[in-house]
Amino acid sequence: MLDQGTASPATEPTVPKTSGLSALTRRKPVERLVAEGGQGEGGSLRRTLSMWQLTMISIGATLGTGIFVVLGDAVPKAGPAVTIAFVIAGLTALFSALSYAELAGSIPVAGSSYSYAYATMGELVAWVCGWCLVLEYGVSVAAVAVGWGEYLNELLDGTIGVTIPDVLSSAPGEGGIINLPGLIVVLLAMVFLLGGARESALVNTIMVFVKIAALVLFCAIGFMGFKSGNYADFMPLGMAGVSAAGASLFFSYIGFDAASTAGEEAKDPKRDLPRAIMLSLLIVTVLYVLVAAVAVGAWNWKDFEGSEAPLAAIMHDVSGQAFWGTLLAAGAVISIASVVLTVLYGQTRVLFAMSRDGLVPKVFGKVSGKTGTPRVNTVIVSVFCGALASVIPLGKLVDATSIGTLFAFALVNIAVIVLRRTRPTMDRTFRVPLGWTFPILGFGFCVYNMLSLDSVTWVVFGCWMAAGLVFYFLYGMRRSRLATDAGATEAEK
């Protein structure tokens, strides 16, 4: 058996030369994926993250804008039944999380579902999955940054009585020219990430504790204003409204897979990655359902319409004092910043893995010998995400992120089934229970939620995928490491 992070040159599977349609299905052997772990252009990533830090990364990437901001968009769609919408989104995340946990323990590398697809379904599917991850992580960073700006204004108003003018805090088309706070928080996260993974993880852990404390405080204050009558008209818009809200609220669960992008910086990835993924999802789900139940009990569901910072507003109304709402806004500012930090981290690691495989330019795979981080990659991604956050409205970003994530998660569930058929005796530190049942359910839930999204989101997704395929066929397919290595081997014969 191969040791973690190493591969025997004598036993590592070779990659046959492929061309034409067969090139699209060439797979990267698991042993090779693991053996290349941490290796980049000019340096290597450092294994410094413990199970606790990995769990905090997943919670940090998940717990934020989804509950602090998107709740205000979801309640008008589902009414008090938004709690059911959270459960639907949570079940979708749970089934996919089980599949992620099995694959993360078997293939502990930085590419997350992109690498899992490369090992099981071939290069084209891997590229599609990686392109969806770029949409998931990159666009969600921008969406979260927009939400951060809304709570920053709430905090400024409650402390010094001023707010950032709409012209500098809203996207074009929403009364502004640029969302400056959204750009600033992304650039601040970039600075932390450039310092190193361990240092960023420490900052994130502190932020996670702050956000959990803020949500617990909200539940304590909000419960004092709980009115059972607010649940009287439980499902005013029917199951269609619950489904639409559930699809949007899936955005709230995006990020639990962030730990899987740290596979090459974890101390014991085979053991710790599955535990971190499942533990983080459990903690986040409990908090979401509790907060949603208290929020709808304290406010009539119609009052959520147009509310940009609903939790802070609820605390202000219930307590009758601006202090509590301002305190929650302060917690939200810190909390949402941690999401930007950890999701941005995940984006850079996915591109790092894709660069190492030759599918995106080498600049994304360069590692600083001083900090052990892909510094140029981090700067490029941060500037791109900051630009998105500064000019695109939150609602459009949320739905685009959700559909890309759901597609990637669907592929992960399929990957579990494929790997079990092709490598049944492979060492697995975690196995999804009940055979194929949960991966099939996970795939089905993902498809169900995707179909609940509106037609505009599907058009955007189709255009994104078309652009990705053009890039792959013009660049990635020919520069793939599997293609170039096979060609070099053929030339030596």
Side-chain angles (χ1 to χ4, degrees):
M1 183 182 294
L2 296 174
D3 293 331
Q4 176 187 307
T6 62
S8 169
T11 60
E12 181 179 338
T14 57
V15 181
K17 183 177 180 180
T18 53
S19 59
L21 293 177
S22 61
L24 305 180
T25 58
R26 55 194 173 206
R27 292 180 294 176
K28 189 171 184 179
V30 173
E31 290 80 4
R32 180 170 174 177
L33 279 167
V34 177
E36 292 179 353
Q39 299 175 19
E41 292 284 333
S44 299
L45 302 179
R46 298 171 182 173
R47 293 194 178 277
T48 60
L49 303 178
S50 65
M51 194 274 283
W52 177 252
Q53 290 171 315
L54 293 170
T55 303
M56 291 299 104
I57 286 175
S58 282
I59 295 177
T62 310
L63 196 61
T65 303
I67 193 66
F68 283 105
V69 179
V70 178
L71 183 65
D73 295 327
V75 174
K77 297 177 182 178
V82 70
T83 50
I84 295 179
F86 265 114
V87 172
I88 292 174
L91 283 173
T92 304
L94 173 62
F95 293 133
S96 296
L98 290 169
S99 294
Y100 260 101
E102 177 168 327
L103 293 173
S106 307
I107 314 173
V109 292
S112 186
S113 52
Y114 154 76
S115 295
Y116 308 152
Y118 214 162
T120 56
M121 291 176 281
E123 187 171 282
L124 179 61
V125 177
W127 168 261
V128 169
C129 192
W131 195 242
C132 285
L133 289 179
V134 171
L135 181 65
E136 172 192 349
Y137 285 107
V139 179
S140 66
V141 166
V144 170
V146 172
W148 184 83
E150 293 171 354
Y151 269 96
L152 178 63
N153 260 340
E154 190 79 16
L155 176 61
L156 292 174
D157 185 41
T159 51
I160 58 177
V162 300
T163 59
I164 301 173
D166 287 346
V167 69
L168 296 177
S169 62
S170 299
E174 292 194 337
I177 297 176
I178 184 174
N179 188 325
L180 192 58
L183 174 61
I184 290 173
V185 72
V186 174
L187 297 181
L188 286 174
M190 177 190 74
V191 172
F192 282 115
L193 289 175
L194 291 175
R198 182 172 58 184
E199 292 76 10
S200 300
L202 175 61
V203 172
N204 173 66
T205 298
I206 295 171
M207 290 180 170
V208 167
F209 277 107
V210 170
K211 72 171 71 180
I212 292 176
L215 290 175
V216 171
L217 175 65
F218 167 79
C219 291
I221 300 294
F223 189 74
M224 293 189 297
F226 193 92
K227 300 181 183 67
S228 59
N230 287 335
Y231 278 91
D233 189 10
F234 186 68
M235 199 181 292
L237 302 178
M239 196 60 201
V242 174
S243 298
S248 294
L249 285 174
F250 185 76
F251 177 81
S252 305
Y253 288 91
I254 292 172
F256 74 81
D257 58 322
S260 66
T261 66
E264 295 172 25
E265 290 161 285
K267 294 177 181 178
D268 189 354
K270 284 182 172 289
R271 184 197 67 180
D272 293 342
L273 288 178
R275 296 180 181 181
I277 290 171
M278 298 309 300
L279 180 58
S280 63
L281 184 62
L282 174 63
I283 294 171
V284 166
T285 301
V286 170
L287 283 170
Y288 278 168
V289 173
L290 183 61
V291 170
V294 171
V296 175
W299 250 17
N300 184 282
W301 68 274
K302 296 179 182 179
D303 294 336
F304 284 83
E305 185 74 45
S307 177
E308 296 181 340
L311 300 190
I314 290 172
M315 288 188 73
H316 180 273
D317 285 355
V318 170
S319 66
Q321 300 177 17
F323 169 78
W324 295 109
T326 302
L327 185 61
L328 183 77
V333 166
I334 296 172
S335 302
I336 297 173
S338 78
V339 182
V340 175
L341 177 69
T342 48
V343 175
L344 193 63
Y345 167 86
Q347 174 71 98
T348 59
R349 270 46 178 186
V350 169
L351 286 171
F352 170 81
M354 296 176 74
S355 174
R356 185 170 57 207
D357 293 333
L359 301 184
V360 298
K362 290 183 178 180
V363 66
F364 291 101
K366 291 183 178 180
V367 177
S368 167
K370 181 179 179 180
T371 63
T373 60
R375 303 192 72 173
V376 178
N377 177 347
T378 301
V379 171
I380 294 173
V381 171
S382 299
V383 171
F384 173 76
C385 293
L388 280 182
S390 65
V391 297
I392 301 181
L394 177 64
K396 300 299 182 184
L397 291 170
V398 168
D399 286 345
T401 303
S402 293
I403 195 168
T405 306
L406 287 164
F407 192 86
F409 283 9
L411 292 179
V412 167
N413 286 292
I414 295 174
V416 168
I417 296 173
V418 173
L419 194 61
R420 285 193 181 183
R421 286 185 61 86
T422 58
R423 301 290 297 273
T425 61
M426 182 180 179
D427 180 39
R428 291 171 171 83
T429 56
F430 175 85
R431 290 182 69 92
V432 179
L434 300 180
W436 293 2
T437 304
F438 284 165
I440 291 174
L441 286 173
F443 176 82
F445 268 91
C446 287
V447 173
Y448 172 78
N449 278 280
M450 289 178 71
L451 294 176
S452 297
L453 293 168
D454 60 38
S455 58
V456 174
T457 302
W458 275 95
V459 170
V460 171
F461 181 64
C463 293
W464 175 262
M465 294 309 302
L469 290 173
V470 169
F471 185 90
Y472 172 73
F473 286 113
L474 293 180
Y475 182 93
M477 184 178 178
R478 292 182 297 172
R479 295 174 181 265
S480 164
R481 281 278 305 278
L482 293 188
T484 56
D485 290 354
T489 301
E490 187 71 18
E492 291 173 359
K493 293 181 180 179

